Amino acid sequence: MIHSKRPLASIESSPMPEPSCRSVAIIGLGLLGGSVAFAIRRRWPSVRLTACARSPETREFALDRSIVDEVFETPAAAAEGCDLAVIATPVNRIASLAQALAGQFPELTLTDVGSTKGGLVRELAGTASAKQFVPAHPIAGSEKSGAEHARADLFDDKPIVITPSGEELPQHITAATEFWRATGGRIVTMPAEQHDATLALTSHLPHLLSSLAARQITREMLALVGNGWLDTTRVAAGDADLWTAIVSENRDAILSAIEQSRSDLDTLQTIVHQGDDAALRTWLDTAKQIRQSAQT
């Protein structure tokens, strides 16, 4: 365990109401975990922050940047004495960590940042941890990974989706909701399966299509790419291990989204093959209107 060298002074914001939790553990200090810490520092400066990070370099960096007050090598050490813990690891590790932490700390409120929810809810169903664990997904991020890219404003006015299983005790729902609101996000509640089907179309398939577009280009062509290609393929620069885990966890919904896209691509192919410019204009205009209606 290492102690922070100095208090954080670089992030300022208007104060929030006094938090009900006094100490928060963050299990995993990547982009999202680090950003959670910075956001809570900004809104709840009195809350003690601990973290677990596997890499010695990450632990040193977290303290040099005053992301947390203390950092540990194990999740249990980080969560000791805390009121709430955020699991900010790849999605395929969340369930086992939730069960382990719930077994050691039966009063601890648990939540996460994972972008898939159905499998997680099913895996924890009927276990003691389901009473403590409040599944959450902050819809914010970047193609960049690592605590060095963490930002205090990452969640500002972004949706924070909570997908209750129905087994959670009320006090844990209240604590997790208050916590996520303090990061600056907007709370949205929906069933886990609805979340996964929606994210397959709004996030997971777009990432795969971005990667598909990137794969079409040879190195010799890179000298000729413009901003359109760079914008379209930006998320293809994301962490491959992270996205492999996401696809594995949300496989069925993503396959359904792929089939939906295949049908639309077939329609586009027919339009282009037939030289139907009027239909193409309508097809493109529909996409344009949807994109312009999106929140930025």
Side-chain angles (χ1 to χ4, degrees):
M1 180 270 288
I2 311 173
H3 293 275
S4 179
K5 299 174 183 176
R6 60 182 181 276
L8 185 70
S10 61
I11 297 175
E12 299 179 355
S13 181
S14 57
M16 291 281 289
E18 194 66 23
S20 60
C21 62
R22 297 157 299 172
S23 54
V24 171
I26 300 169
I27 312 302
L29 274 179
L31 169 69
L32 292 179
S35 295
V36 166
F38 275 141
I40 293 301
R41 285 277 203 210
R42 179 183 62 172
R43 301 296 182 100
W44 285 347
S46 65
V47 169
R48 172 178 170 264
L49 291 174
T50 66
C52 166
R54 292 183 294 178
S55 160
E57 293 78 14
T58 300
R59 293 196 293 270
E60 288 292 343
F61 180 80
L63 296 175
D64 286 341
R65 286 282 306 277
S66 295
I67 298 176
V68 293
D69 298 303
E70 298 175 277
V71 63
F72 302 83
E73 294 185 48
T74 67
E80 180 74 40
C82 289
D83 303 305
L84 183 146
V86 184
I87 303 175
T89 66
V91 292
N92 55 349
R93 297 183 56 214
I94 294 172
S96 60
L97 283 167
Q99 290 176 312
L101 289 170
Q104 291 177 276
F105 308 107
E107 302 301 318
L108 181 67
T109 297
L110 293 163
T111 188
D112 73 315
V113 302
S115 68
T116 65
K117 288 286 164 273
L120 179 58
V121 167
R122 289 191 296 272
E123 188 169 350
L124 296 181
T127 68
S129 57
K131 298 179 181 180
Q132 298 169 239
F133 183 77
V134 182
H137 176 207
I139 302 181
S142 167
E143 75 280 7
K144 298 174 182 177
S145 60
E148 62 270 26
H149 300 294
R151 294 165 30 202
D153 63 351
L154 187 68
F155 309 109
D156 284 359
D157 203 35
K158 299 295 192 301
I160 310 287
V161 183
I162 293 178
T163 63
S165 67
E167 298 185 54
E168 301 90 348
L169 296 176
Q171 64 265 32
H172 295 304
I173 290 281
T174 298
T177 301
E178 177 192 53
F179 172 83
W180 282 115
R181 190 171 286 120
T183 67
R186 297 180 285 105
I187 304 300
V188 178
T189 302
M190 66 174 60
E193 299 299 338
Q194 180 185 354
H195 166 276
D196 287 1
T198 300
L199 267 292
L201 287 167
T202 63
S203 175
H204 305 161
L205 180 63
H207 186 96
L208 296 176
L209 292 176
S210 174
S211 298
L212 178 65
R215 286 169 53 87
Q216 308 306 304
I217 302 300
T218 66
R219 290 191 179 275
E220 292 74 22
M221 297 177 188
L222 288 174
L224 299 178
V225 302
N227 287 337
W229 185 87
L230 291 170
D231 289 345
T232 300
T233 60
R234 178 183 60 81
V235 296
D239 184 89
D241 289 336
L242 174 68
W243 278 96
T244 297
I246 289 171
V247 173
S248 178
E249 290 290 321
N250 202 26
R251 192 180 309 277
D252 289 344
I254 291 171
L255 284 171
S256 178
I258 289 173
E259 286 303 315
Q260 183 172 329
S261 291
R262 191 193 309 276
S263 175
D264 204 28
L265 188 60
D266 288 343
T267 298
L268 177 60
Q269 182 179 29
T270 298
I271 289 171
V272 174
H273 178 72
Q274 293 178 347
D276 189 344
D277 289 349
L280 178 60
R281 189 177 297 108
T282 298
W283 192 92
L284 292 169
D285 193 53
T286 298
K288 175 182 177 180
Q289 291 178 28
I290 293 170
R291 178 62 180 86
Q292 290 180 331
S293 299
Q295 290 183 327
T296 58

